[in-house]
Amino acid sequence: MMRKAQETDRVRGDSARQVFGFCPVDHVAACEDVGDEFVGWTYSACLLAVVPAVILVMALIERRAWAVYTTTLASQCVGAWVRYIAVRVASSGDSELGKDLAILSAILIGFGSAGCVVAYSAIASEWFASSERALATSCTVQSNYAGWALGAVVFPYSVSDGHDLIDLQF
């Protein structure tokens, strides 16, 4: 039973590698230990984009809150659509452009994430009474973690091939 679950998890993880051209679609065994650096960069690019963006957001959030909220939210939204397009493009055969778009989407999502991180307390202090601020801040922080946890569960158990990955990105 445990062996079957491990095999299923490996095949699901290979779907992204196949879509982005790291291994042939018809030869799952060839996917082992390839594409890990690219997958790592999709996460690292997001983190590297957060650092300078957080500094900019911290400097501007007090004076230009709505511009910061709008820009970072738009960056998150555009980044999500670019990620969807990256998977579509890669699955259609242009894996190099798909990879570039995936990294671009990570940068956009990272920039948008800076607004989320800095805005936790700013939104609470601006929009909530002092007696509600601790709860409002806690809810925003915990909703972020809940989203990460949900993504960690939904993606591995919802994707078994490239088409599932495209559908889930949408």
Side-chain angles (χ1 to χ4, degrees):
M1 176 92 165
M2 180 66 124
R3 182 175 226 190
K4 177 70 173 160
Q6 288 172 337
E7 178 68 19
T8 302
D9 288 345
R10 188 181 62 74
V11 170
R12 286 182 178 134
D14 292 341
S15 298
R17 291 181 180 131
Q18 290 170 341
V19 166
F20 284 99
F22 290 106
C23 54
V25 175
D26 59 346
H27 196 300
V28 174
C31 286
E32 197 168 317
D33 298 326
V34 295
D36 293 340
E37 186 176 347
F38 166 73
V39 172
W41 270 109
T42 61
Y43 187 71
S44 296
C46 185
L47 291 177
L48 290 171
V50 168
V51 173
V54 160
I55 295 167
L56 182 64
V57 168
M58 285 188 309
L60 296 175
I61 201 159
E62 292 291 324
R63 293 176 303 204
R64 306 264 189 253
W66 282 102
V68 168
Y69 299 149
T70 303
T71 302
T72 56
L73 179 63
S75 181
Q76 287 274 344
C77 184
V78 171
W81 279 107
V82 171
R83 180 65 56 95
Y84 169 70
I85 292 167
V87 174
R88 292 287 304 214
V89 166
S91 70
S92 71
D94 194 347
S95 61
E96 290 305 313
L97 179 58
K99 291 173 194 172
D100 292 342
L101 288 170
I103 297 297
L104 174 62
S105 74
I107 292 167
L108 289 167
I109 291 168
F111 184 80
S113 296
C116 294
V117 170
V118 174
Y120 293 148
S121 61
I123 290 174
S125 67
E126 185 177 338
W127 293 349
F128 291 89
S130 61
S131 63
E132 300 170 334
R133 288 182 189 152
L135 177 62
T137 302
S138 297
C139 286
T140 57
V141 170
Q142 293 308 315
S143 66
N144 194 19
Y145 291 127
W148 285 345
L150 183 64
V153 172
V154 168
F155 273 79
Y157 294 101
S158 299
V159 176
S160 60
D161 61 24
H163 295 292
D164 290 345
L165 184 61
I166 294 169
D167 292 343
L168 190 59
Q169 287 295 322
F170 183 74

